[in-house]
Amino acid sequence: MPASSASSGSGTIASYAKKINPTKRPDVEIHLDDHHDGKTYTTFDALSGNASITAPHDAQFDEIQITLEGVTRTYVDNITQSSATSRTTAIHRFLKLIMPIREAAYPQPRIAEAGKTYIFPFNFVIPEQLLPTSCSHTCDADHVHMAHLQLPPSMGDREASILDDLSPEMSKVQYSINAKVIKHAEFSRKPISLVEGSKKLQIIPMVAEAPPMSISANEKNDYLLSKTKSLRKGIFSGKLGKITVSADQTGAIVLPSPGSSLVATTMATVKLQFEPHDFSSQPPRLGGLVTKIKVSSFYATKPAKSFPSRSSMGVSIEPARQFYQTSVPLSSRCVEQVSWVKHLPQPDLSRRASTVSSSSSNYSDNSQMSLKAKEKIYYTAEILVPVSLPSSKIWVPSFHSCIASRSYSLDLALTIHTPGAGVPSSSVKLSLPLQIASQGSRTALVVLTAVEAAAELANVNEYLRPRVIEIPREDLVENSVLRSSFTVPRPELPPSYEHTEQASRQVDPSRC
């Protein structure tokens, strides 16, 4: 008997699904106000619209659920000893906002009439950060947990983005507004989705600029901020000298607000120092400077306890963690006309030691100052390198989430020519950490709907409503008597020091 009841219940659910959607085509459409293909949303943007549901046949349902959801999907291919591949998939639903629907908006009884369209409005606001429950696993540090609570940007969703965002197929971050028609099972009361519709969104949240990156010992192989190279005059000639190429970390590239015409750019400064082998050696001739941006996408099927890096993944090999890397060329320029500045040997005047007594009779200027001079001359030069992101790609801000991350580095390659014939040109390469931030639209005001404005006004009126609205009792009327100021005891004044005599002491005139 229970088995037959269960089968009849499942058959009833199936019949409802066939009645609502007999052709297996979605009858749920989501309309978003002021939306167009390729539009990008950011933090604090309002998502207003409605979900329209049309049933071709009469069918009963229990509720309508409209949600704003964010999901991260990753997978890793595992290769076994038998050369067979298996796939491990991970899904992290980090955001789910549910739009409450008033009881008066539902038809009574809850039966969808054939051919009638039901419209349910919704209004969401993209939050600034996630709830702490979205990252419930353990982390090695608090800043890792805080990074996992920030909204990740849309990545790898080919339906929402028109251009390439340089993300692999193995890692996706998707946002969507979903509408479902739900019917509860007859016995288990389990919610079953009969018909559902979805609309994908492209969201680039606001990301603040972070301080310069602290490069740990495990990340020294990923970045290189300075390099020294020895140069020769020719194949059979002597040494020309050595050149040091260095650069500091650049400021973050801040993506402008959606719809802005500003260009995301930053500036890198390459510093050169040439130390000649002898006084007759001149600085080498510079060639070209090539810049490119390296994109690293990390993905895993289990939560990350720390920020991933290429070096750390090489030390501890875990099949559940992988990364994908690609590069985008930025510019190639000739820097042959860069001028060198010659620095002659200069004396270095240092202070005398603090142990020398000022009362010593042997004190002299020679003992106070020690003369130190550099033995060699050297040359310096600087190259300013503007860095702009190509508009042919969609650039995702740097982020770290539980199972997906994105980081960038700026690669610089400088060509150096030596004066000798037959000596090939040398190349010095640097790799700098680079952050891509997002400006967002923090100053944008969220326009309230008429219902929300009425609710806000009602809350204000409730706050300003007088709390005492009854007439006081007769025994409390005209009985408030203030005591005279003469009856109030005055506090004692502090003691006076006018007549206090200070003891005089003799002072030795010789010590004045």
Side-chain angles (χ1 to χ4, degrees):
M1 183 66 180
S4 61
S5 300
S7 61
S8 62
S10 61
T12 304
I13 297 298
S15 63
Y16 282 135
K18 291 180 180 179
K19 287 182 180 180
I20 294 182
N21 195 7
T23 60
K24 297 183 180 181
R25 296 174 57 187
D27 292 320
V28 178
E29 295 184 2
I30 298 177
H31 305 275
L32 197 59
D33 298 340
D34 300 328
H35 179 76
H36 57 82
D37 293 340
K39 184 176 181 179
T40 301
Y41 298 90
T42 185
T43 308
F44 301 129
D45 280 353
L47 304 174
S48 301
N50 60 77
S52 60
I53 302 174
T54 304
H57 301 280
D58 293 348
Q60 184 179 2
F61 67 96
D62 289 326
E63 64 173 320
I64 304 296
Q65 188 179 86
I66 304 176
T67 58
L68 170 62
E69 300 184 20
V71 182
T72 303
R73 291 182 170 87
T74 60
Y75 70 85
V76 174
D77 291 331
N78 304 318
I79 301 178
T80 60
Q81 296 180 354
S82 60
S83 299
T85 59
S86 61
R87 177 171 295 181
T88 304
T89 305
I91 299 177
H92 179 211
R93 196 175 306 275
F94 56 86
L95 176 66
K96 185 175 183 179
L97 302 180
I98 301 177
M99 178 66 191
I101 299 178
R102 297 181 294 111
E103 185 68 22
Y106 286 101
Q108 301 297 334
R110 297 192 180 183
I111 298 177
E113 299 180 4
K116 186 176 181 180
T117 301
Y118 300 89
I119 298 178
F120 299 90
F122 62 83
N123 185 21
F124 297 102
V125 175
I126 300 177
E128 185 178 9
Q129 64 179 18
L130 304 174
L131 295 176
T133 54
S134 63
C135 177
S136 57
H137 63 90
T138 57
C139 298
D140 292 342
D142 293 339
H143 68 277
V144 178
H145 180 69
M146 292 301 298
H148 290 180
L149 296 182
Q150 306 303 315
L151 259 72
S154 298
M155 186 178 70
D157 195 347
R158 303 296 186 265
E159 299 180 12
S161 60
I162 301 177
L163 302 177
D164 182 21
D165 58 7
L166 305 172
S167 60
E169 186 68 23
M170 295 77 72
S171 177
K172 294 182 180 180
V173 179
Q174 299 173 323
Y175 290 90
S176 61
I177 295 179
N178 304 323
K180 298 180 181 180
V181 180
I182 296 178
K183 173 68 178 178
H184 296 286
E186 185 176 355
F187 295 98
S188 63
R189 306 303 299 171
K190 180 180 179 180
I192 299 177
S193 177
L194 302 180
V195 180
E196 61 182 78
S198 178
K199 192 173 191 63
K200 297 294 185 64
L201 301 175
Q202 175 77 10
I203 295 180
I204 302 296
M206 179 181 59
V207 178
E209 181 177 358
M213 180 179 178
S214 178
I215 302 176
S216 61
N218 296 332
E219 297 171 334
K220 289 185 177 180
N221 295 330
D222 297 338
Y223 306 105
L224 183 62
L225 277 66
S226 179
K227 187 175 182 179
T228 302
K229 192 176 186 65
S230 299
L231 304 177
R232 300 185 64 87
K233 297 179 181 179
I235 299 179
F236 302 103
S237 303
K239 296 180 179 180
L240 179 66
K242 62 179 181 180
I243 185 171
T244 301
V245 183
S246 62
D248 296 330
Q249 297 187 35
T250 64
I253 299 180
V254 182
L255 301 176
S257 302
S260 175
S261 59
L262 299 178
V263 179
T265 182
T266 188
M267 184 70 69
T269 303
V270 179
K271 301 177 182 179
L272 308 176
Q273 180 172 336
F274 173 70
E275 299 178 7
H277 183 68
D278 50 41
F279 290 97
S280 61
S281 299
Q282 296 297 318
R285 181 173 59 89
L286 303 180
L289 179 62
V290 179
T291 60
K292 64 179 180 179
I293 185 171
K294 185 181 296 182
V295 185
S296 300
S297 300
F298 301 89
Y299 54 95
T301 55
K302 63 179 183 179
K305 297 182 179 180
S306 60
F307 293 157
S309 63
R310 299 188 300 271
S311 298
S312 61
M313 296 181 65
V315 173
S316 58
I317 300 177
E318 298 184 39
R321 305 186 188 279
Q322 302 291 335
F323 73 93
Y324 171 81
Q325 197 172 80
T326 184
S327 299
V328 177
L330 298 181
S331 64
S332 178
R333 52 189 302 188
C334 179
V335 293
E336 185 178 357
Q337 301 300 326
V338 172
S339 59
W340 291 88
V341 178
K342 184 177 182 180
H343 298 267
L344 299 175
Q346 296 292 334
D348 184 13
L349 302 179
S350 60
R351 293 182 178 271
R352 62 185 177 89
S354 59
T355 56
V356 180
S357 175
S358 60
S359 60
S360 174
S361 59
N362 296 329
Y363 171 74
S364 63
D365 292 341
N366 293 333
S367 61
Q368 184 180 9
M369 299 291 181
S370 61
L371 189 61
K372 296 181 180 179
K374 287 191 175 182
E375 298 179 357
K376 296 182 179 180
I377 63 174
Y378 64 98
Y379 300 83
T380 59
E382 286 189 356
I383 304 175
L384 298 180
V385 185
V387 180
S388 300
L389 299 179
S391 59
S392 59
K393 306 291 183 181
I394 291 183
W395 296 97
V396 175
S398 307
F399 75 96
H400 294 283
S401 65
C402 295
I403 58 176
S405 298
R406 169 66 69 88
S407 63
Y408 299 91
S409 62
L410 180 64
D411 292 352
L412 306 171
L414 177 63
T415 304
I416 303 173
H417 300 281
T418 54
V423 179
S425 59
S426 302
S427 179
V428 178
K429 297 181 180 180
L430 301 180
S431 182
L432 312 179
L434 180 65
Q435 182 202 7
I436 295 183
S438 178
Q439 185 177 0
S441 58
R442 178 182 288 273
T443 58
L445 297 178
V446 179
V447 180
L448 299 179
T449 62
V451 177
E452 292 175 339
E456 290 288 338
L457 182 60
N459 293 335
V460 172
N461 293 335
E462 176 65 20
Y463 179 78
L464 298 177
R465 182 178 60 86
R467 294 299 184 264
V468 180
I469 58 176
E470 62 179 4
I471 301 176
R473 301 193 307 270
E474 294 183 359
D475 57 338
L476 299 178
V477 177
E478 297 182 356
N479 282 339
S480 57
V481 179
L482 297 178
R483 292 189 299 174
S484 175
S485 60
F486 297 101
T487 62
V488 179
R490 300 178 63 184
E492 295 183 359
L493 297 177
S496 176
Y497 296 95
E498 295 180 358
H499 303 287
T500 303
E501 296 181 358
Q502 296 183 356
S504 60
R505 60 176 181 174
Q506 299 294 331
V507 180
D508 187 2
S510 62
R511 302 188 61 182
C512 294

